[in-house]
Each structure stands twice: as structure tokens, then as C-alpha cells.
Amino acid sequence: MTNNKNPNQDTQDLSRRKFLKSGGLVAGGLLGGSLFGGLLTNQFQKGTKEEATPQASKQVTFDARTFFSRNEDFALLSAATERIYPENKNGMGAIELGVPYFIDRQCASNWGRNANDYMHGPFPSIVKTDVYQEEKRQNNEVITSSSVVKIPAGTANYQTKMTRGTFFLEGINAMEQTAQDKFDDRFVNLEPEQQDEILQMFEKGEVKFSGVDSSDFFKLLRKTTIEGVYADPVYGGNRNMEAWRMKEYPGPIMSFLDKIEEEEFIVMEPSSLRNYQGL
């Protein structure tokens, strides 16, 4: 048989095989090096991983405001909630339990935007002016629109076009203004007794609120504070289930069948919804 193969073709094949062989060695070296290096690295990192485990088991919070953009507003909200649910010998107060962050999240949610509520008027109210403004009227002085206060009419619930989030901002602004008018200082700088006095003024409806009774704001503030204390921690409050521990409440336990026959009171370690999600 006659070999008609071109000598140049042999050279090209040899070069290609040499390239593939060399490339394979390089790839194999990289792969083997990676595995070898990985084994070595893992050996060296073994101690680091074990040391990092306690850090991973620590309770980590990522609290951040999503609604209250001003530090001053959030500080006042925090101080007010702490007066409603203060720290005492039984345990943490509202601030340490994360209640201000709970309210912040609620205001940023559909609840805070009244997304599922009917929000169109009319909003029953009575137009009224202050007593000293009536004196001006008798002297034919001009009464501006800012001097007119709309008193909410008696209805089953408060009527306003403000969303709950806006209601909180307006209420906090009114608390700050009341503190400066009455004590010539910011609310957060007042003594606890003075802060309580302002909260009581709101509770009694003694503070001006156009279209809404100030007692409605106090009811909303107190209601959300208590919800933030005792709601599941997934909503931002009741940090580390400490409020449940104070009440010896175990949280959402799926079944008590294995304990229902017990005669003695059982103190159980509480479980959050996070526990059922493996978090």
C-alpha cells in the first residue's frame, strides 16, 4: 500500500496532540491543585469554622426603619411606647423588645397605607373656632383658615382621610408640639412624669387634632404598642420572644396532646413561627 500522507500533516497532528497533552496536564494540574489546595485549606480552616459556629448561633437583628425617615420622629415614637410599656422588674420595656420597629413595619405595610379600607368621604366633622378666635370675630378681625378646627362628629369609629401611617406622623408631630408648648423642651428630653402628662392629655382628647380626636391617636398608639410587645417576633417586635417568656406563653405550639394529661403547670420554652421554618 502506498502511504500518501503529507509530511506536513504529521507535523500538524503531532503539534495538536502535544498541545492537547500539555493542556490536559495543565487542566489536570489545576484540578488536582484545586482539590489538593482545597484539602489543605479545609484542614487549615477547620478550626476557623468551629470558632465561627458560636457566632452563627447568636441572635442577630437587622432592624432598620422603612417608614419613619426622621430620627427625631422615631426617637419620640420609641420614648412614647416605652412609657406605655416600660421596663420594670418583670423584664424588658417596649424599646428593648423592638416595639418601635414593629410599628415602623406596620406603617410601611398595607395596614399603614389602609390599602384594604374604604377611604373616601364624606368624613363627618363640625367646624369650630377657638374661644379666643371668637373674641377676634367680635372685633371684626380676620380669622384665617389655620385657626379653624374640625371637631370629629360622633361616629362609631374615627373618620379621616389620613392613612394610619400619616396618622402616626401627625400624632407624633402633635406630641412634639405639645411638649414644646407646655414644657418648652422636646418630648424625648422630658422627665418620665412629664411625658406621661402629655400622653394623658392625648388620652383625654385635650390636644388639637383637625378632623380627628387626639384620644383616637392615643388608642392607636397604645394598641400597636401592646401588639408589638406580644405579637410573633416575625413581625418585628417581641424580640427573642422575651415578652412571651415574661407571660410564660409558649407561642404557637402545634399540639399539646403529649402534655394535656399533666397535672402540674408546665413551663415550656417558647417557639416562634421562625422555628417551624427552620430559621
Side-chain angles (χ1 to χ4, degrees):
M1 295 177 63
T2 305
N3 185 3
N4 297 327
K5 195 172 183 179
N6 190 343
N8 294 333
Q9 184 69 35
D10 292 339
T11 304
Q12 291 176 1
D13 291 343
L14 180 61
S15 299
R16 188 178 297 113
R17 286 197 298 274
K18 188 176 181 181
F19 171 78
L20 292 174
K21 183 179 179 181
S22 301
L25 286 174
V26 171
L30 288 173
L31 180 60
S34 300
L35 290 172
F36 184 62
L39 289 173
L40 285 176
T41 306
N42 288 338
Q43 290 296 323
F44 286 124
Q45 289 183 343
K46 186 176 181 181
T48 305
K49 186 176 180 180
E50 290 175 349
E51 291 172 0
T53 302
Q55 294 289 335
S57 64
K58 285 186 176 179
Q59 183 77 13
V60 180
T61 61
F62 298 96
D63 292 333
R65 302 194 306 268
T66 54
F67 180 78
F68 292 96
S69 58
R70 284 166 31 96
N71 293 335
E72 297 84 354
D73 293 342
F74 193 71
L76 192 152
L77 173 69
S78 302
T81 58
E82 184 69 16
R83 293 311 306 156
I84 293 173
Y85 196 91
E87 179 184 0
N88 57 25
K89 63 180 181 181
N90 294 321
M92 300 176 178
I95 292 178
E96 203 168 359
L97 287 169
V99 171
Y101 287 101
F102 167 84
I103 296 176
D104 177 82
R105 289 189 187 183
Q106 298 304 309
C107 288
S109 69
N110 285 342
W111 179 86
R113 294 190 291 270
N114 290 69
N116 299 320
D117 297 338
Y118 183 81
M119 294 293 291
H120 296 281
F123 303 106
S125 59
I126 304 168
V127 177
K128 185 179 180 182
T129 55
D130 291 336
V131 175
Y132 70 93
Q133 296 294 344
E134 291 294 340
E135 294 174 355
K136 287 184 178 181
R137 186 191 298 275
Q138 293 175 4
N139 297 328
N140 296 323
E141 294 183 32
V142 176
I143 298 178
T144 62
S145 59
S146 60
S147 64
V148 176
V149 177
K150 292 184 178 180
I151 306 299
T155 54
N157 202 350
Y158 67 87
Q159 302 285 326
T160 176
K161 62 181 178 181
M162 285 190 290
T163 64
R164 295 186 183 92
T166 305
F167 200 7
F168 262 101
L169 292 176
E170 291 293 326
I172 287 172
N173 183 54
M175 290 181 70
E176 179 65 22
Q177 189 61 48
T178 305
Q180 296 190 15
D181 291 344
K182 189 171 181 61
F183 298 107
D184 196 26
D185 202 351
R186 295 183 56 205
F187 183 87
V188 295
N189 296 333
L190 300 180
E191 296 295 328
E193 295 76 14
Q194 295 173 319
Q195 293 177 341
D196 290 348
E197 188 173 340
I198 291 178
L199 287 170
Q200 288 168 359
M201 290 175 63
F202 274 76
E203 184 178 19
K204 295 176 182 175
E206 297 176 351
V207 180
K208 281 184 182 177
F209 237 100
S210 188
V212 186
D213 197 304
S214 62
S215 63
D216 289 324
F217 173 70
F218 178 80
K219 291 175 185 174
L220 183 65
L221 177 63
R222 180 177 58 188
K223 175 174 174 285
T224 49
T225 297
I226 295 173
E227 288 176 350
V229 169
Y230 292 113
D232 194 285
V234 294
Y235 299 107
N238 189 15
R239 185 170 289 158
N240 200 28
M241 299 176 284
E242 291 299 334
W244 288 353
R245 287 191 174 84
M246 283 189 273
K247 301 285 287 185
E248 296 182 332
Y249 173 65
I253 304 297
M254 295 302 174
S255 174
F256 293 94
L257 284 177
D258 58 334
K259 299 178 178 62
I260 199 169
E261 299 293 338
E262 298 287 341
E263 296 290 340
E264 301 294 331
F265 181 80
I266 303 172
V267 178
M268 302 172 64
E269 182 64 17
S271 296
S272 167
L273 291 175
R274 291 179 186 275
N275 299 110
Y276 297 106
Q277 299 170 2
L279 300 175

